[in-house]
C-alpha cells in the first residue's frame, strides 16, 4: 500500500475507536475535525519510511507508531492554537478547533488525542509487546516533560530561554520520535536513527521560520508573522533569508549522510530529498525579499 | 510501608523525573505545584488497597498504577479549573495552577501530567511488560474517549446529556480504573473489580454533590455551588439532602458486598468503610439544611 492512504486509514481507524459507543457527539466530531484534512502528514511519513527502510516486518506496529505521532502532533496544534497561546483562528485553511467547537471542546479534544496516541500503541502490543513498550517510552519522552514538545512550548513562558533545549524539544522532539519509532517498530535499535530525525526537524524549523517570515495568512492557512509578533527566536531574523536557505540546504545534506546502513537506504535518501524539495521550492519567489 | 508515604514517594519520584535535565523551570515547578499538597489521594489509595488485597506481588508495578491514576486525576483538575471550564481561582486551598502560573503553563502542565502517567506505566514494564500493557490499556480507556474522564467532561458541552454515560465517565471512570488497575498490577483479572470501583465512584459523586450544595468555598478549598451555577445535574437537587445521604449509604453497602473473594478481603471492606466514614461525617451538621 502506498504511504499516504496507509497513514490516513490508520489515523481514521484510531479516531473511529475514540468515537465509538456512548461518546459525547460534539467531542467525537471535534476529534475528527482536529486531524483532518491530512495535509502532508510529514511525521508519520518519515516514521513509516524508516520502518520500511528497516524491512517493515510488523506493519501493524509501524502503523500504530505513525498514527500515535500524528495524533500527538494534532493535539499540540489544537492546544497551541488556543487563545492563551497563539490565539489562531485558522488552521489547515479552516477555523481552528476552538473557533469551530469552543475552547472547552478544543482543550478536551487535545487531551483525548494525547491519550488516544498511547492507546493506539498499547493495542499494538497484541502484535509485539516489547516493541509496543519501546514505542510508548519514546513517544512519552518526545511529548512530555522534561524534553518533549510540552517542554518546548513551556520554554516560551520563561524569561530566560535555553534556545538549544527550546528548539530540540519544540520542533525536534517529534521528528526524532518519527525516525526512532519507525526503527523501533521494525525491531531496530532506535538510537542510530536519532540524528536523522533531529536534522529533518532542524530543516523543518528553518523552513517554517522562512514561511512564517515571508508568507501571508492566506498562503499559510494559519496566521503569519507569529514569531515576530510574539518575539520568538527565528532563523530568518538571525541569518537573513539567504543565510536561512543556505542553512536549510546544509542541514538536509547532513540528514542524508546520517542515514544508517539498512535495506532501504536509497529509498530513504530519496524521501529526505523529496522532503527537501517540498520545503525549498516555496522559497525562490521570495529569495530576494 | 504504610499507604500514604508510599503513594507520596511514588508521585514525587515521577514528578522529579519530569523535572530532570534541561526542563523549562517554571513548567517544571508547575508540575509539582499541580500535584501537591496531596490530600486524601483517594484513587491511588483504592488502587494500592486492591493490589495489596490481591497479594501485591510486584509492589513497583502497583506503585506505578497508583501514581499514574493520580497524575491523570491532577491533570484533569488543572484543566477543569481553567477559565473555559470552571474558572476556579482556588484548588486545594491555594491558587489554582492557571492563577499561579498563567493559562499557558496550566494547559501544558495538564498535558505533561497526562503523558507522564503513561511514561510511569511504561517504566513498570521493566518489572512486568504484560501487566504494564494491561495498565496502559485500562488507563487509556478510563481517561480518554469514548468513555473516560475526557468524555465525561465532554458531555457538559452537549445540549442533550446522556446522564448515565456522563456520570460513569466523569467521576466513575477513574474509580473503576483504581480498582481495575490495582488488580491488574497484582496480576489478577481486572473485570471482577469493576463493580467495586463503580460503586465507590457513585458514592463519591453523591458525596461531592452534597458538599457542593451545602458547603462554602472556605470549607471546600474550591468554589462552591458550581453545579447549581453551571446548571449541572446533582443528586441533592434530585433526591434532597436526606435522600442523597440514604443513597450514599446504600451505594457503600453495595460496594462492600461486591468485593471479590481475595486474601485481603477483610482489609478491603475496612478500607471501603473508612472511605464511607470520610465521606459521611461531614454531613450531619448540614443534615437539616
Amino acid at each position: 500500500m502506498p504511504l499516504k492512504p496507509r497513514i490516513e486509514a490508520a489515523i481514521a481507524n484510531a479516531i473511529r475507536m475514540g468515537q465509538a459507543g456512548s461518546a459525547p457527539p460534539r467531542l467525537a466530531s471535534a476529534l475528527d475535525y482536529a486531524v483532518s484534512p491530512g495535509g502532508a502528514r510529514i511525521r508519520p511519513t518519515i516514521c513509516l519510511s524508516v520502518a520500511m527502510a528497516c524491512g517493515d516486518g510488523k506493519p501493524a506496529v509501524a502503523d500504530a507508531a505513525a498514527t500515535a505521532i500524528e495524533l500527538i502532533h494534532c493535539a499540540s496544534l489544537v492546544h497551541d492554537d488556543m487563545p492563551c497561546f497563539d490565539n489562531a483562528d485558522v488552521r489547515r485553511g479552516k477555523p481552528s478547533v476552538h473557533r469551530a467547537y469552543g475552547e472547552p471542546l478544543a482543550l478536551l479534544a487535545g487531551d483525548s488525542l494525547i491519550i488516544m496516541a498511547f492507546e493506539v500503541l498499547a493495542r499494538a502490543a497484541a502484535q509485539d509487546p516489547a516493541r509496543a513498550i519501546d514505542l510508548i517510552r519514546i513517544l512519552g519522552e518526545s511529548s512530555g516533560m522534561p524534553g518533549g514538545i510540552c517542554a518546548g512550548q513551556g520554554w516560551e513562558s520563561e524569561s530566560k530561554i535555553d534556545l538549544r533545549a527550546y528548539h530540540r524539544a519544540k520542533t525536534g522532539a517529534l521528528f526524532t520520535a518519527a525516525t526512532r519509532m519507525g526503527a523501533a517498530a521494525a525491531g531496530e535499535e532506535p538510537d542510530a536513527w536519532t540524528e536523522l530525525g533531529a536534522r529533518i526537524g532542524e530543516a523543518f524549523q528553518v523552513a517554517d521560520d522562512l514561511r512564517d517570515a515571508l508568507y501571508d495568512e492566506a498562503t499559510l492557512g494559519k496566521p503569519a508573522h507569529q514569531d515576530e509578533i510574539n518575539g520568538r527566536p527565528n532563523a530568518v531574523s538571525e541569518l537573513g533569508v539567504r543565510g536561512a536557505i543556505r542553512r536549510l540546504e546544509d542541514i538536509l545534506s547532513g540528514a542524508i549522510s546520517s542515514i544508517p546502513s539498512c535495506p532501504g537506504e536509497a529509498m530513504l535518501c530519496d524521501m529526505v530529498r523529496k522532503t527537501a524539495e517540498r520545503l525549498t521550492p516555496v522559497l525562490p519567489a521570495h529569495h530576494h525579499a
Side-chain angles (χ1 to χ4, degrees), chain A residues 15-61:
Chain A
I15 295 291
R16 251 194 315 275
M17 295 191 71
Q19 296 171 322
S22 55
R26 292 189 66 225
L27 179 53
S29 155
L31 295 181
D32 193 45
Y33 188 91
V35 302
S36 53
R41 301 283 193 211
I42 188 153
R43 292 158 194 81
T45 300
I46 294 166
C47 177
L48 279 194
S49 300
V50 170
M52 288 167 80
C54 296
D56 199 20
K58 298 195 174 176
V61 179

Side-chain angles (χ1 to χ4, degrees), chain A residues 114-127:
Chain A
I114 293 171
I115 294 161
M116 189 184 288
F118 290 97
E119 290 190 274
V120 165
L121 296 177
R123 281 198 290 272
Q127 267 78 43

Side-chain angles (χ1 to χ4, degrees), chain A residues 4 19 21 26 30 43 71 73 75 89 98 106 120 146 166 188 223 233 246 260 270 273 275:
Chain A
K4 175 82 175 157
Q19 296 171 322
R26 292 189 66 225
R43 292 158 194 81
L71 293 175
H73 173 61
D89 293 336
H98 68 95
V120 165
Y166 168 65
E188 294 296 320
R246 248 191 325 269
D270 198 49
R273 264 188 221 105
T275 306

Side-chain angles (χ1 to χ4, degrees), chain A residues 20 25 57 61 96 103 106 127 172 178-179 184 197 204 210 213 251 269 273 288:
Chain A
V61 179
S96 52
E103 281 190 62
Q127 267 78 43
T179 55
F204 204 75
L210 278 159
I251 293 167
C269 292
R273 264 188 221 105
H288 330 281

Side-chain angles (χ1 to χ4, degrees), chain A residues 15 31 34-35 67-80 106-122 136 139-140 142-144 149-150 174:
Chain A
I15 295 291
L31 295 181
V35 302
T67 300
I69 292 169
E70 184 68 7
L71 293 175
I72 291 281
H73 173 61
C74 293
S76 79
L77 296 181
V78 173
H79 282 178
D80 290 1
L107 184 43
L108 291 173
D111 289 356
S112 303
L113 292 172
I114 293 171
I115 294 161
M116 189 184 288
F118 290 97
E119 290 190 274
V120 165
L121 296 177
I136 290 167
L139 189 71
S142 314
S143 316
I149 55 171
C150 286
L174 274 194

